[in-house]
Amino acid sequence: DENRRPVRESERKTVGRRKMYTNKLRQVVSKKKRRYQANGFDLDLTYITDNVIAMGYPSEKLEGMYRNPMNEVQRFLGELHGSNFKVYNLCSERRYDHKKFNGRVCEYPFDDHNPCPLSMITTFCEDVHAWLEANTENVAVIHCKAGKD
């Protein structure tokens, strides 16, 4: 874009430092949990199998500084899985607009650090199974509020 001013070196360094500090903060919050640190990403996320991902809640604003930033989760899924992902939100305490993941979100809410209702297990498993069976490239992305506990 010709109307854009060039980014100054000092601004570039400030953005780089900010990213370094927020990544360090996310690592502290994650404690000793495994993080996905590849392809330019640093997320509270891990592959359970080739097509099942467990991750922390995709957050925005201030919370995105110490949890998974929504925009980075969107970028990760788009770059690595295209349209072959479906997000399963298990968090009863909060929701986000399903449009953030192109409508590919299912909710099976229950309170964090509590077992889900037994009646929900079969429905959830059938949903994930149907999604994964529909296409060998499909990936189920499952999260709660706190992360991959």
Side-chain angles (χ1 to χ4, degrees):
D1 185 17
E2 61 188 51
N3 295 329
R4 241 179 165 173
R5 71 171 178 76
V7 177
R8 295 188 184 115
E9 185 62 25
S10 62
E11 291 173 308
R12 190 173 286 118
K13 286 180 182 178
T14 299
V15 169
R17 269 189 245 114
R18 185 176 305 131
K19 186 172 184 172
M20 179 184 71
Y21 291 130
T22 56
N23 284 346
K24 188 66 176 165
L25 180 61
R26 287 186 200 114
Q27 290 170 9
V28 168
V29 169
S30 291
K31 299 177 185 162
K32 294 184 179 184
K33 296 176 193 166
R34 186 175 300 188
R35 295 184 64 78
Y36 184 89
Q37 295 177 308
N39 304 315
F41 296 101
D42 184 3
L43 296 168
D44 178 14
L45 176 152
T46 192
Y47 283 84
I48 305 301
T49 66
D50 289 342
N51 59 357
V52 176
I53 296 171
M55 71 172 186
Y57 191 86
S59 300
E60 297 183 279
K61 302 178 182 168
L62 180 62
E63 192 176 40
M65 291 184 68
Y66 60 91
R67 293 194 190 272
N68 284 339
M70 175 68 80
N71 63 335
E72 285 295 291
V73 173
Q74 291 168 315
R75 187 171 73 87
F76 170 85
L77 293 172
E79 287 182 16
L80 275 70
H81 298 289
S83 62
N84 296 98
F85 68 87
K86 188 173 184 180
V87 178
Y88 291 87
N89 180 1
L90 307 183
C91 180
S92 65
E93 294 89 355
R94 56 182 64 161
R95 301 176 68 194
Y96 44 79
D97 187 344
H98 293 189
K99 291 177 189 171
K100 301 219 180 246
F101 295 110
N102 300 315
R104 289 187 303 275
V105 176
C106 283
E107 295 179 349
Y108 291 91
F110 61 95
D111 292 346
D112 208 29
H113 303 292
N114 286 282
C116 70
L118 289 175
S119 60
M120 187 185 297
I121 293 173
T122 302
T123 308
F124 170 76
C125 290
E126 288 172 348
D127 188 338
V128 172
H129 179 74
W131 172 251
L132 296 178
E133 288 290 311
N135 184 327
T136 59
E137 298 295 313
N138 282 356
V139 175
V141 184
I142 304 164
H143 73 80
C144 60
K145 179 181 170 189
K148 310 177 308 289
D149 294 341

